[in-house]
């Protein structure tokens, strides 16, 4: 079992839909990152969380430390949101562990 | 402001050779991270340098090594190349001001070096 699990692996939705991507982890962590990787390979850091909730534009990220779970939400999704979304955690041993990513495709 | 730069963009080597990949962080950033993204395996953490020192490394053999120079740029060296080392190697830099994660703050990624081992 992977230490960081993301679901779903693939998600296709219509433009305008509310999107939720989940990340569960099994290790103690000091922080969690959400990353976005576009088809060309470029990676952008979206959020870093250690507790609570953060919002940036149409993106919202939440984390529940007790339940070892984080969610990334996209409101009013748009085709330009199509990308791979990756969850990464920093364990208490300072190792960085990545989920396998969620491939999101938003149809116009 | 220039972003993180990596060179070369592409690198083709044969088994047993050595590869050297370079990364220049954003001006003012002192931390540099190296990651490997092999096809089908996802991103894996390789190395973390800060203020010229190796702070942490992932589960990779010793033939993966690197260094950070006084100007905070960094080199990743891969010795005795194997076919499975073919991957996209990404570098990221972050600010010297530690946040809640004790230094693992927002990371700015470079475009990567695609290494192909034949």
């Amino acid at each position: 079992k992977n230490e960081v699990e993301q679901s779903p692996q693939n998600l296709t939705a219509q433009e305008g839909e509310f999107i939720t991507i989940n990340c569960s982890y099994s290790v103690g962590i000091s922080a969690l990152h959400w990353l976005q990787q576009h088809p060309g390979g470029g990676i952008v850091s979206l959020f870093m969380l250690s507790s609570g909730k953060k919002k940036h534009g149409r993106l919202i990220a939440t984390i529940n430390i007790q339940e070892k779970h984080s969610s990334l939400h996209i409101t009013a999704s748009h085709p330009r949101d199509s990308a791979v979304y990756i969850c990464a955690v920093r364990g208490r041993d300072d190792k960085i562990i990545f989920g396998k990513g969620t491939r999101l495709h938003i149809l116009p | 402001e220039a972003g993180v730069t990596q060179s070369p963009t592409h690198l083709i080597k044969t088994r047993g050779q050595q590869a050297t990949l370079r990364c220049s962080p954003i001006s003012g950033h002192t931390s540099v991270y190296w990651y490997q993204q092999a096809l089908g395996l996802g991103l894996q953490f390789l190395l973390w340098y800060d203020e010229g020192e190796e702070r942490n490394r992932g589960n990779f053999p010793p033939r993966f090594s690197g260094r950070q120079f006084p100007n905070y740029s960094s080199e990743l060296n891969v010795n005795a190349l194997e076919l499975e080392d073919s991957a996209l190697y990404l570098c990221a830099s972050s600010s010297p001001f530690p946040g809640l994660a004790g230094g693992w703050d927002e990371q700015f990624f470079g475009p990567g070096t695609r290494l192909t081992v034949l």
Side-chain angles (χ1 to χ4, degrees), chain A residues 80-95:
Chain A
R80 65 174 173 267
D81 297 326
S82 298
V84 177
Y85 293 83
I86 302 167
C87 169
V89 302
R90 184 185 189 188
R92 299 217 181 273
D93 60 356
D94 286 342
K95 300 291 186 189

Side-chain angles (χ1 to χ4, degrees), chain B residues 6-25:
Chain B
Q6 291 187 245
S7 63
T9 305
H10 294 89
L11 189 57
I12 300 174
K13 295 283 187 178
T14 56
R15 280 178 60 190
Q17 285 189 313
Q18 180 199 40
T20 298
L21 288 63
R22 296 179 177 85
C23 171
S24 291

Side-chain angles (χ1 to χ4, degrees), chain B residues 43-60:
Chain B
L43 276 161
Q44 295 187 81
F45 166 62
L46 261 169
L47 289 159
W48 170 28
Y49 290 96
D50 183 61
E51 295 285 358
E53 292 192 15
E54 182 180 303
R55 300 295 185 183
N56 206 348
R57 66 180 290 133
N59 297 327
F60 281 84

Side-chain angles (χ1 to χ4, degrees), chain B residues 5-8 20-24 34 67 69 73-77 91 113:
Chain B
T5 59
Q6 291 187 245
S7 63
T20 298
L21 288 63
R22 296 179 177 85
C23 171
S24 291
W34 286 97
R67 54 181 171 166
F69 299 99
S73 66
S74 178
E75 243 178 35
L76 173 68
N77 294 294
C91 164
T113 292

Side-chain angles (χ1 to χ4, degrees), chain A residues 30-33 35 37 41-45 48 50 86 88-90 93-100, chain B residues 33 35 37 40-41 43-45 48 56-59 88 90 100-107 109-110:
Chain A
S30 55
L32 181 144
H33 265 211
L35 308 171
Q37 185 170 30
I43 293 181
V44 174
S45 175
M48 188 196 76
S50 56
I86 302 167
V89 302
R90 184 185 189 188
D93 60 356
D94 286 342
K95 300 291 186 189
I96 300 170
I97 310 164
F98 294 88
K100 292 190 182 299
Chain B
Y33 301 79
Y35 301 101
Q37 189 173 37
L41 288 181
L43 276 161
Q44 295 187 81
F45 166 62
W48 170 28
N56 206 348
R57 66 180 290 133
N59 297 327
L88 180 67
L90 291 155
L100 296 174
W104 190 46
D105 290 300
E106 181 182 8
Q107 299 200 354
F109 284 79

